[in-house]
């Protein structure tokens, strides 16, 4: 698995480097504009300024546009999105108008029209446009995500939570949505709900240390003996999953140990727990000695005050 991940990372880096080379070549008149635009689409690279310049140059050249044949409609869509990113709403409107004439009643063009309303800040019209699309296709994942984005753009986090919960009823396997919902709950200080989201993420992807760490921090924030004991376990699992290299998790183990000690006043002290906090403290001191020796004494003093060193 590690080898496959490394290969995928290397391939992605090569493709990104190729994209940049093509961009420079096309921007300096060396050709390859269509190849660049196609690669940018395939990689889902968000480079609106060069895409807008190079895409418009192709669309404004009648002979180049005719050579693209049916691919020109894909280019109109790509340029429209890039134009909205660059706040060239006039260009976006023209591109969407051409697509609307070519594909009347298209849901895909309808999404672009709604995106244009968003770009203008006309949230009500965008909401109405998305509602019409969902009437015809209630499982349009992109539209549901745009509705969430509109709520967040307006600062209405309560509405964003409502939309995310409805979205997850339809698309329960979307891990990014669970994480987004968890982060919004944390921002609203709804820690129990955030904990539930992280539990779902850990069940679905148990080897990702970020979820273990976030869950531990939510439980630590909630407080109480049971939550602190569970938080300590998840800080420990984060350390295990990262090969002992997560400083935040090492601090978490120490803080949980100190808080648990205060709550229990030394009662029911478990030997393995004591060993864990000692190892975490030693690892922290070693880490600071290697990477930030000027702060080693400060960390040592803090651990001493917590009676962990």
């Amino acid at each position: 698995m590690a080898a496959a991940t490394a290969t995928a990372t290397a391939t992605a880096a090569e493709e990104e480097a190729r994209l940049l080379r093509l961009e420079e070549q096309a921007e300096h008149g060396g050709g390859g504009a269509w190849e660049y635009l196609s690669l940018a689409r395939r990689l889902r690279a968000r480079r609106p300024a060069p895409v807008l310049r190079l895409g418009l140059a192709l669309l404004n050249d009648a002979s180049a546009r005719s050579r693209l044949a049916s691919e020109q409609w894909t280019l109109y869509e790509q340029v429209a999105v890039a134009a909205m990113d660059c706040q060239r709403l006039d260009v976006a409107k023209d591109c969407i108008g051409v697509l609307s004439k070519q594909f009347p009643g298209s849901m895909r063009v309808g999404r672009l029209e709604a995106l244009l309303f968003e770009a203008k800040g006309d949230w009500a019209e965008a909401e109405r446009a998305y509602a019409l699309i969902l009437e015809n296709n209630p499982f349009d994942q992109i539209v549901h995500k745009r509705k969430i984005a509109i709520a967040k753009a307006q600062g209405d986090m309560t509405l964003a939570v409502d939309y995310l919960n409805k979205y997850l009823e339809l698309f329960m396997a979307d891990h990014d949505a669970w994480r987004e919902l968890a982060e919004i709950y944390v921002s609203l200080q709804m820690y129990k709900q955030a904990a539930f989201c992280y539990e779902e993420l850990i069940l679905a992807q148990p080897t990702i240390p970020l979820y273990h760490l976030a869950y531990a921090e939510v439980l630590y924030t909630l407080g109480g003996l049971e939550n602190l004991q569970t938080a300590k376990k998840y800080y420990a699992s984060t350390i295990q999953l990262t090969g002992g290299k997560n400083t935040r998790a090492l601090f978490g183990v120490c803080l949980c140990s100190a808080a648990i000690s205060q709550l229990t006043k030394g009662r029911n002290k478990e030997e393995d727990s004591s060993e864990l906090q000692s190892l975490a403290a030693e690892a922290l001191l070693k880490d600071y000695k290697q990477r930030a020796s000027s702060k080693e004494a400060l960390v040592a003093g803090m651990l001493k005050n917590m009676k962990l060193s």
Side-chain angles (χ1 to χ4, degrees):
M1 184 180 286
T5 303
T7 303
T9 303
T11 303
E14 288 170 7
E15 293 275 58
E16 179 67 23
R18 180 170 165 242
L19 182 71
L20 294 175
R21 285 197 303 272
L22 282 170
E23 182 179 309
E24 187 176 359
Q25 175 185 313
E27 291 270 42
H28 290 86
W34 176 247
E35 187 181 356
Y36 166 75
L37 292 164
S38 299
L39 183 59
R41 272 199 314 276
R42 184 163 62 80
L43 297 180
R44 297 185 179 182
R46 194 154 187 173
R47 303 188 64 79
V51 166
L52 179 59
R53 283 193 298 271
L54 297 170
L56 265 182
L58 284 176
L59 291 176
N60 289 332
D61 184 333
S63 61
R65 194 172 65 243
S66 65
R67 284 196 298 273
L68 292 176
S70 62
E71 291 281 8
Q72 67 178 288
W73 311 120
T74 303
L75 182 57
Y76 271 111
E77 181 181 34
Q78 188 177 10
V79 170
V81 173
M84 284 185 269
D85 278 346
C86 295
Q87 279 299 297
R88 288 293 308 276
L89 303 186
D90 55 329
V91 174
K93 184 179 178 181
D94 290 343
C95 289
I96 294 169
V98 171
L99 289 169
S100 186
K101 283 183 182 178
Q102 181 66 24
F103 306 101
S106 164
M107 291 295 102
R108 190 161 172 169
V109 176
R111 283 201 298 265
L112 286 174
E113 290 169 342
L115 276 173
L116 184 57
F117 286 128
E118 280 191 64
K120 292 176 181 176
D122 193 343
W123 311 118
E125 282 299 323
E127 283 270 16
R128 275 193 284 273
Y130 287 135
L132 283 173
I133 294 171
L134 289 176
E135 280 181 14
N136 292 299
N137 180 12
F139 298 100
D140 192 316
Q141 196 168 6
I142 294 173
V143 169
H144 281 287
K145 287 184 175 181
R146 293 314 312 163
K147 283 168 67 71
I148 295 163
I150 288 174
K152 290 177 72 176
Q154 295 178 90
D156 192 341
M157 291 302 155
T158 303
L159 184 60
V161 164
D162 183 46
Y163 283 160
L164 269 165
N165 276 307
K166 288 177 180 174
Y167 172 86
L168 285 166
E169 287 176 8
L170 298 172
F171 309 102
M172 292 185 68
D174 191 330
H175 304 137
D176 289 335
W178 280 110
R179 183 179 172 187
E180 185 177 4
L181 181 57
E183 289 171 353
I184 293 176
Y185 276 139
V186 168
S187 73
L188 296 174
Q189 299 181 13
M190 300 171 71
Y191 299 115
K192 288 183 179 179
Q193 291 86 340
F196 175 81
C197 295
Y198 285 122
E199 286 166 3
E200 290 288 326
L201 285 166
I202 291 168
L203 281 170
Q205 296 179 300
T207 59
I208 296 183
L210 175 65
Y211 299 154
H212 290 249
L213 179 62
Y215 183 50
E217 293 190 332
V218 167
L219 292 174
Y220 179 81
T221 304
L222 280 168
L225 183 59
E226 187 178 344
N227 285 329
L228 288 168
Q229 288 171 334
T230 307
K232 188 174 179 179
K233 290 176 184 176
Y234 279 91
Y235 279 127
S237 65
T238 304
I239 295 167
Q240 184 179 19
L241 288 167
T242 57
K245 298 185 184 299
N246 193 299
T247 304
R248 197 177 181 98
L250 291 169
F251 269 117
V253 167
C254 295
L255 289 168
C256 284
S257 297
I260 290 168
S261 178
Q262 284 291 317
L263 287 174
T264 60
K265 302 297 181 184
R267 293 179 285 107
N268 302 321
K269 191 172 182 181
E270 297 177 7
E271 193 174 318
D272 60 340
S273 179
S274 179
E275 184 183 0
L276 174 61
Q277 63 199 44
S278 297
L279 288 171
E282 286 174 21
L284 268 177
L285 288 171
K286 184 180 177 181
D287 191 31
Y288 272 88
K289 185 176 182 178
Q290 291 176 345
R291 298 196 295 167
S293 56
S294 62
K295 295 181 180 177
E296 184 188 357
L298 180 66
V299 175
M302 181 199 74
L303 294 172
K304 187 176 181 180
N305 288 337
M306 289 194 292
K307 299 178 181 180
L308 295 175
S309 68

